[in-house]
Amino acid sequence: MNDLTKKLSRMLSYELPNEFTSVSYAIMIDGRFVASDTLGTTGGKKPVPADSRCTYNVASISKIFCSVAVMQLVEKGLLDLDASVIDYVPEFTMPDERYKKITLRHCLSHSCALPGTQWKGFSVTEPEDEEYYSEFLEYVGHSYLKAEPGYYSTYCNDGFTLAEMAVKNVSGMPYHEYC
């Protein structure tokens, strides 16, 4: 264990509660790991083995990857943050005609006004893209917006699902492969 890892792990351990918490971290510079460790307990009982590689569901950290993917395609001129999402995801429809006003900017800023998270298949380890997206489209296809797109922001995973679909459609490859 190098000095940087020792220092970082010592700092993290000061704030890490004794039960039901663990953390793994890794820092890379120029493709080389400069620090990494796993601390805490598994299920509040057993210490995490020092040589283990613990995995965690990425959850909302995935929004960073989605935002970067969208912005890469914006930089290439393939996506426009202020164009209607249906320009990129024409299969997206809703009975509430205001859905046509939803932009990628609305999706990435949690202001798309979609009804919420379609939970079936949400937060899975090995997503089947087409099935998940089909189920999402079925769900929103029978839903109504909470407000005018852009009127206010409230946490919404569904906007990021739309943004993923835009990346998939514009890049011509499955979203996870693009990332």
Side-chain angles (χ1 to χ4, degrees):
M1 183 179 295
N2 66 36
D3 287 341
L4 178 59
T5 299
K6 287 177 187 175
K7 288 177 185 177
L8 290 172
S9 294
R10 189 171 53 248
M11 287 175 13
L12 277 172
S13 67
Y14 291 137
E15 297 297 323
L16 196 64
N18 291 329
E19 294 184 355
F20 304 104
T21 304
S22 63
V23 64
S24 293
Y25 70 89
I27 300 171
M28 281 182 113
I29 297 176
D30 295 327
R32 190 173 65 73
F33 283 104
V34 296
S36 65
D37 200 3
T38 303
L39 307 162
T41 59
T42 58
K45 304 289 183 213
K46 297 184 280 184
V48 174
D51 62 347
S52 72
R53 293 203 182 266
C54 293
T55 59
Y56 303 91
N57 191 319
V58 71
S60 288
I61 298 299
S62 66
K63 288 174 178 56
I64 296 168
F65 295 101
C66 184
S67 298
V68 168
V70 166
M71 294 311 293
Q72 286 176 335
L73 294 171
V74 167
E75 286 179 342
K76 292 178 181 178
L78 299 173
L79 290 176
D80 178 348
L81 288 178
D82 297 312
S84 174
V85 169
I86 61 173
D87 291 349
Y88 308 113
V89 188
E91 61 271 37
F92 168 55
T93 63
M94 294 180 79
D96 185 333
E97 289 294 311
R98 297 176 297 172
Y99 84 95
K100 295 175 182 175
K101 298 178 184 178
I102 297 173
T103 66
L104 286 170
R105 187 179 306 276
H106 293 137
C107 292
L108 299 182
S109 66
H110 298 280
S111 63
C112 60
L114 287 168
T117 297
Q118 195 287 98
W119 288 101
K120 186 173 184 212
F122 174 75
S123 196
V124 294
T125 305
E126 297 290 332
E128 295 296 326
D129 289 345
E130 294 312 313
E131 183 179 326
Y132 177 76
Y133 294 137
S134 294
E135 290 173 356
F136 166 78
L137 291 170
E138 174 70 19
Y139 167 72
V140 296
H142 294 91
S143 302
Y144 288 83
L145 297 177
K146 292 180 182 179
E148 188 76 19
Y151 184 68
Y152 66 87
S153 294
T154 187
Y155 196 84
C156 181
N157 292 308
D158 289 344
F160 282 84
T161 300
L162 272 178
E164 288 176 14
M165 293 174 76
V167 169
K168 176 179 80 74
N169 289 352
V170 168
S171 71
M173 60 178 50
Y175 172 74
H176 68 276
E177 286 182 23
Y178 180 88
C179 287

